[in-house]
């Protein structure tokens, strides 16, 4: 079987397109959130919560801002569940639609003066819909982009989820600056509605991009291999509840954002005496610049790690929030901008550009959307009510802001502790993320299969005698498992109870793994090139990660040669045959043995050929390689016998594979004539020999080479 590099058949990742889709979706989400926050600070107290005491109306408006953060965890739970069950892309189309339509609805609402108490009720309903949508948007966009991103650049590409935050803030502010400059009567009648209506433009563009985006390769693979969970929320709480708590703690850092953008705006205009346009401009520039800082911070985190960056941001923001509020009390707009730049543009960006990847990387793929959404949105509840809490904590006088700054500092310290306790994940391969989940599930699967392995007796449903599964609870890797003898071996080992990793260079192996799963077995497909050490090392790691160990290796991958006499030997072709048929076997043996030595057990079966024992004209390269496999096996058997690892090989003769079935009838007839048993062997018969050598029934056998050739070599 010819080999190729695994990247040729691996599911396609589109990080650029995923980043763009997430950027546009987040732009809409935060545009809608910010225009609501701005309206809550400037106009909603007068239009929806009229009161003789302006402070009461302001607090009520801020409360509706915070209500969305109560709906966000619910949206996160619902959208996370279906995102892990049905796919990231489908759910992100739903979140986008709900957010856009809710914002449009708010822009069409009548005021308290027009319909009385129903006005704030409907406003709260629209805000709840926004929050419900946002609860699934950020986690889904982060998960989708992360799973499309290449290793070593996950932080960079996923940061575009939050550059959408900055773009949304800038857009909302740029829209509100001219609106806020309208005469009071026009602002209060129709002006405030315009920003909400304009959200439809972003909605249409983002929806179009997302409809043209592929589902993530990680989810596709999980779906094909039946790793999609029925109740991902239950599983994430069962296996990774500590990580959910860590994400909650780190998410509390978002208090800094809501205090700055919402409470700070209100404090600056109502107490410090700044005009609305000036502060909106400062906020727009300070946050707008984060669009450039966040990708840089994320790129740095791809090198130095997520934790150092988050810790720097938490401690820095805890200190500079005092500076920001102090500059507001000075009345100097230049000082205000300098403090805003330091606090929000530089320091907060070191968190805001990184948390989409840092949070998503804490969880394994089957529960990633649910785990991130739950933890992130529960933490954001405090952030949502940050402006209201600030309003309640603020005291009279020049330094009335100090209790608000202390509140922000406490939140930053909580986030720092949570970040310090989290695993560093920047350099962890994506298939190994969510270590507690992967280890717990693998251990449970191994225990379950050991506990429930069928025993010899009567099959009561079918009324027939059944044999014990001899490989229950074991994990096998079969290279070249996509067709012929390799396919038969993979299927037979699965029927005997083993979890099978089907390794091949094309999608034929993927078809075999799916068929095994459809028949009730357990299998996974891994694209692998047997002459690439990194590829083979990754293959063995996949077996351990997916199924909890590696007990059996069947090195079956190989290629035929173009026959020619020695004097016409093509040395490049000779080397190619030796590379795949001998060196490839040695590489697979090397990395499988390393895993097996650590476990203190294992069985390696190398597939040779009768041409290792008898000659055939013009087949010198193939014969030499297969003879090398036989002696490699014998040598390794002596090396590892006392370490509990058995090495054997099987040399098939003429086998009725699909390749042989396609030969001319006269060629097949000559093959049959050479067989003492008078027929070709079936692939399933060769597979039964391999299954025997892989089982504990052959525990005394090592260093053997079984000629499964119908008596051919006995002649």
């Amino acid at each position: 079987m010819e080999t190729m590099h695994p990247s040729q058949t691996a599911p396609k990742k589109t990080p650029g397109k995923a980043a763009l889709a997430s950027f546009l979706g987040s732009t809409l989400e935060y545009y809608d959130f910010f225009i609501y926050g701005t309206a809550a600070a400037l106009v909603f107290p007068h239009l929806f919560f009229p009161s003789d005491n302006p402070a009461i109306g302001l607090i009520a408006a801020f409360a509706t801002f915070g209500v969305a953060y109560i709906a966000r965890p619910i949206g996160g739970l619902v959208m996370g569940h279906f995102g892990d069950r049905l796919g990231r892309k489908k759910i992100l189309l739903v979140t986008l639609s709900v957010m856009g339509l809710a914002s449009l609805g708010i822009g069409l609402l009548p005021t308290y003066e027009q319909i009385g108490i129903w006005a704030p009720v409907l406003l709260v309903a629209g805000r709840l819909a926004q929050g419900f949508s946002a609860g699934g948007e950020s986690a889904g966009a982060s998960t989708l982009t992360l799973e499309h991103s290449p290793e070593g650049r996950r932080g960079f590409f996923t940061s575009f989820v939050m550059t959408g935050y900055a773009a949304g803030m800038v857009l909302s502010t740029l829209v509100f600056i001219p609106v806020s400059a309208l005469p009071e009567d026009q602002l209060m009648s129709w002006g405030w509605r315009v920003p909400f209506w304009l959200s439809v433009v972003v909605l249409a563009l983002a929806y179009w991009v997302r409809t043209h985006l592929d589902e993530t390769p990680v989810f596709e693979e999980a779906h094909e291999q039946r790793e999609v969970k029925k109740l991902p929320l239950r599983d994430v709480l069962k296996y990774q509840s500590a990580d959910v708590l860590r994400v909650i703690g780190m998410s509390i850092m978002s208090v800094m954002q809501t205090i700055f953008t919402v409470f700070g705006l209100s404090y600056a205009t109502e107490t410090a005496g700044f005009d609305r346009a000036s502060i909106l401009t400062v906020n727009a520039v300070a946050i707008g610049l984060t669009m450039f800082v966040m990708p840089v911070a994320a790129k740095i985190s791809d090198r130095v790690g997520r934790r150092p960056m988050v810790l720097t941001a938490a401690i820095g923001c805890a200190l500079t929030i005092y500076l920001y509020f102090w500059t507001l009390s000075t009345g100097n707009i230049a000082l205000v901008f300098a403090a805003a730049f330091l606090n929000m543009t530089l320091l907060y960006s070191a968190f805001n550009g990184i948390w989409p990847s840092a949070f998503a990387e804490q969880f394994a793929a089957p529960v990633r959307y649910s785990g991130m959404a739950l933890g992130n949105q529960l933490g954001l509840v405090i952030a949502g009510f940050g402006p209201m809490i600030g309003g309640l904590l603020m005291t009279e006088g020049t330094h009335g802001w100090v209790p608000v700054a202390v509140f922000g500092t406490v939140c930053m310290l909580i986030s720092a502790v949570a970040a310090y306790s989290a695993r560093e994940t920047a350099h962890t391969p994506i298939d190994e993320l969510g270590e507690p989940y992967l280890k717990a599930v693998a251990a449970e699967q191994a225990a379950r299969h050991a506990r429930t392995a069928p025993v010899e007796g009567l099959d009561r449903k079918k009324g027939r005698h059944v044999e014990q599964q001899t490989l229950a609870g074991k994990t096998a890797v079969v290279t070249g498992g996509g067709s012929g003898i390799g396919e038969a071996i993979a299927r037979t080992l699965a029927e005997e109870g083993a979890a099978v990793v089907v390794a091949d260079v094309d999608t034929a192996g993927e078809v075999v793994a799916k068929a095994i799963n459809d028949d009730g077995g357990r299998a996974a497909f891994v694209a692998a090139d047997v002459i690439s050490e990194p590829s083979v090392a990754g293959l063995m790691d996949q077996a351990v990660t997916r199924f909890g160990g590696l007990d059996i290796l069947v090195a079956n991958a190989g290629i035929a040669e173009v026959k020619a006499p020695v004097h016409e030997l093509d040395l490049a072709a000779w080397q190619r045959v030796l590379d795949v048929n001998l060196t490839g076997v040695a590489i697979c043996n090397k990395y499988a043995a390393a895993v097996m030595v650590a476990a203190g057990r294992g069985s390696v079966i190398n597939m040779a050929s009768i041409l290792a024992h008898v000659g055939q004209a013009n087949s010198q390269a193939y014969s030499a390689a297969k003879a090398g496999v036989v002696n490699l096996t014998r040598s390794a058997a002596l090396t590892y016998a006392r370490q509990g690892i058995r090495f054997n090989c099987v040399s098939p003769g003429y086998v009725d594979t699909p390749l042989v079935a396609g030969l001319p009838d006269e060629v097949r007839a000559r093959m049959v004539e050479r067989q003492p048993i008078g027929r070709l062997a079936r692939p399933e018969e060769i597979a039964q020999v391999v299954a025997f050598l892989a089982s504990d029934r052959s525990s005394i056998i090592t260093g053997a080479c079984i000629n499964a050739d119908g008596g051919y070599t006995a002649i």
Side-chain angles (χ1 to χ4, degrees):
M1 180 175 295
E2 190 61 65
T3 59
M4 66 182 82
H5 195 274
S7 64
Q8 290 177 269
T9 58
K12 185 179 179 182
K13 291 185 175 183
T14 54
K17 190 186 291 185
L20 175 61
S22 296
F23 169 79
L24 291 174
S26 295
T27 298
L28 175 65
E29 175 192 349
Y30 284 98
Y31 172 81
D32 289 342
F33 253 58
F34 280 127
I35 59 175
Y36 190 99
T38 304
L42 301 180
V43 300
F44 284 172
H46 310 287
L47 297 177
F48 291 92
F49 305 98
S51 172
D52 294 335
N53 186 339
I56 298 298
L58 183 63
I59 290 173
F62 282 162
T64 63
F65 179 82
V67 159
Y69 285 84
I70 294 179
R72 286 178 77 136
I74 300 171
L77 291 178
V78 175
M79 298 301 185
H81 170 82
F82 288 107
D84 281 330
R85 292 272 295 142
L86 304 178
R88 306 359 178 164
K89 174 185 171 179
K90 293 177 182 177
I91 300 307
L92 285 172
L93 289 173
V94 174
T95 62
L96 200 64
S97 301
V98 173
M99 175 64 76
L101 294 175
S103 297
L104 179 62
I106 290 174
L108 297 173
L109 283 180
T111 65
Y112 186 93
E113 184 178 289
Q114 293 170 313
I115 62 170
I117 191 63
W118 283 107
V121 169
L122 292 173
L123 180 66
V124 169
R127 187 61 175 160
L128 287 171
Q130 281 188 328
F132 184 88
S133 166
E137 170 66 29
S138 57
S142 300
T143 298
L144 181 139
T145 310
L146 183 90
E147 293 176 352
H148 268 293
S149 299
E151 297 292 348
R153 302 186 71 191
R154 294 195 304 252
F156 173 73
F157 282 106
T158 310
S159 71
F160 285 93
V161 173
M162 291 313 293
T163 58
Y165 143 81
M169 168 62 177
V170 171
L171 280 178
S172 68
T173 305
L174 291 177
V175 170
F176 248 106
I177 287 174
V179 168
S180 65
L182 289 171
E184 192 76 10
D185 60 329
Q186 295 181 29
L187 172 65
M188 295 298 173
S189 60
W190 59 267
W192 69 271
R193 300 178 186 275
V194 173
F196 290 94
W197 298 340
L198 291 177
S199 65
V200 174
V201 177
V202 184
L203 168 64
L205 178 60
Y207 194 91
W208 184 85
V209 172
R210 285 191 177 176
T211 57
H212 290 77
L213 180 67
D214 294 329
E215 183 54 79
T216 74
V218 173
F219 179 82
E220 292 280 12
E221 186 177 359
H223 184 266
E224 290 169 3
Q225 296 174 5
R226 294 187 171 186
E227 294 178 357
V228 173
K229 299 300 180 181
K230 291 183 178 179
L231 294 172
L233 176 61
R234 177 197 64 189
D235 289 343
V236 77
L237 291 176
K238 179 179 180 181
Y239 302 116
Q240 291 196 258
S241 56
D243 292 317
V244 172
L245 290 175
R246 290 187 182 97
V247 171
I248 291 173
M250 287 187 282
S251 296
I252 291 174
M253 190 168 173
S254 296
V255 163
M256 189 60 56
Q257 170 192 308
T258 57
I259 287 180
F260 178 88
T261 57
V262 182
F263 177 84
L265 173 62
S266 174
Y267 178 83
T269 56
E270 300 294 333
T271 304
F274 287 93
D275 66 275
R276 287 178 298 200
S278 297
I279 293 300
L280 286 172
T281 302
V282 166
N283 287 359
V285 174
I287 294 179
L289 290 173
T290 67
M291 284 192 288
F292 307 99
V293 178
M294 283 189 284
V296 173
K299 193 169 185 177
I300 294 172
S301 80
D302 282 329
R303 294 190 176 188
V304 305
R306 317 292 187 220
R307 288 197 306 174
M309 300 296 287
V310 175
L311 288 170
T312 299
I315 295 170
C317 286
L319 298 174
T320 55
I321 187 64
Y322 294 92
L323 178 64
Y324 175 68
F325 277 111
W326 174 79
T327 59
L328 287 176
S329 67
T330 66
N332 187 320
I333 195 67
L335 288 178
V336 171
F337 174 75
F341 179 83
L342 181 60
N343 177 269
M344 191 58 46
T345 308
L346 295 182
L347 291 168
Y348 189 73
S349 291
F351 165 75
N352 216 25
I354 292 165
W355 71 257
S357 55
F359 292 1
E361 287 171 346
Q362 294 298 308
F363 300 99
V367 296
R368 181 168 293 137
Y369 199 150
S370 297
M372 180 178 176
L374 177 63
N376 183 218
Q377 300 308 322
L378 286 176
L380 287 177
V381 170
I382 296 177
F385 285 98
M388 189 187 76
I389 295 171
L392 295 172
L393 291 175
M394 189 173 68
T395 59
E396 299 291 335
T398 307
H399 301 292
W401 53 266
V402 171
V404 183
V406 171
F407 166 66
T409 298
V410 171
C411 292
M412 297 308 99
L413 294 178
I414 292 172
S415 298
V417 171
Y420 184 78
S421 69
R423 291 183 303 282
E424 179 54 69
T425 54
H427 307 118
T428 303
I430 195 165
D431 291 330
E432 297 176 20
L433 294 173
E435 182 183 4
Y437 175 94
L438 296 177
K439 286 185 175 180
V441 169
E444 285 188 0
Q445 288 177 340
R448 182 167 59 252
H449 282 275
R451 188 170 59 248
T452 61
V455 295
E456 188 173 347
L458 185 68
D459 184 335
R460 297 182 183 275
K461 288 183 70 176
K462 299 182 180 179
R464 60 181 174 81
H465 194 74
V466 296
E467 296 180 355
Q468 181 178 8
Q469 287 184 312
T470 59
L471 301 177
K474 296 183 182 294
T475 299
V477 169
V478 181
T479 65
S483 62
I485 295 173
E487 177 182 357
I489 292 170
R491 289 177 179 271
T492 299
L493 297 184
E495 289 169 1
E496 291 294 330
V500 181
V501 176
V502 183
D504 214 323
V505 293
D506 55 34
T507 54
E510 189 172 9
V511 173
V512 172
K514 184 178 186 302
I516 292 172
N517 287 324
D518 290 344
D519 290 339
R522 293 190 304 150
F525 166 69
V526 175
D529 182 348
V530 296
I531 62 174
S532 165
E533 289 200 62
S535 180
V536 173
L539 168 64
M540 304 308 167
D541 287 343
Q542 285 286 316
V544 175
T545 299
R546 292 174 183 272
F547 298 120
L550 174 59
D551 305 285
I552 303 160
L553 167 68
V554 182
N556 174 69
I559 59 172
E561 68 177 314
V562 178
K563 295 182 179 181
V566 173
H567 73 278
E568 297 178 3
L569 190 64
D570 181 338
L571 291 181
W574 162 280
Q575 189 61 52
R576 175 66 174 164
V577 172
L578 261 63
D579 282 345
V580 176
N581 293 355
L582 179 57
T583 305
V585 172
I587 292 172
C588 290
N589 283 203
K590 171 185 174 179
Y591 286 96
V595 178
M596 293 175 179
V597 166
R601 67 180 186 279
S603 177
V604 175
I605 301 100
N606 294 321
M607 301 303 292
S609 167
I610 55 170
L611 297 188
H613 311 282
V614 298
Q616 178 171 289
N618 300 323
S619 293
Q620 45 275 342
Y622 189 84
S623 297
K626 292 301 183 179
V629 169
V630 171
N631 286 296
L632 165 68
T633 302
R634 289 170 175 160
S635 177
L638 295 174
T639 302
Y640 293 99
R642 291 179 180 266
Q643 298 183 56
I645 305 170
R646 295 181 291 115
F647 282 76
N648 294 291
C649 70
V650 175
S651 292
Y654 292 118
V655 183
D656 194 10
T657 63
L659 178 64
V660 172
L663 295 175
D665 290 342
E666 60 272 18
V667 176
R668 287 173 52 84
R670 286 198 300 269
M671 289 180 173
V672 172
E673 287 176 5
R674 296 175 183 174
Q675 294 289 98
I677 62 173
R679 65 175 177 83
L680 301 179
R682 296 188 302 274
E684 294 75 18
E685 293 175 311
I686 307 301
Q688 287 295 335
V689 176
V690 172
F692 169 72
L693 290 174
S695 73
D696 293 336
R697 291 179 297 179
S698 62
S699 59
I700 195 65
I701 302 176
T702 190
C705 185
I706 297 179
N707 295 340
D709 60 2
Y712 184 91
T713 53
I715 297 175

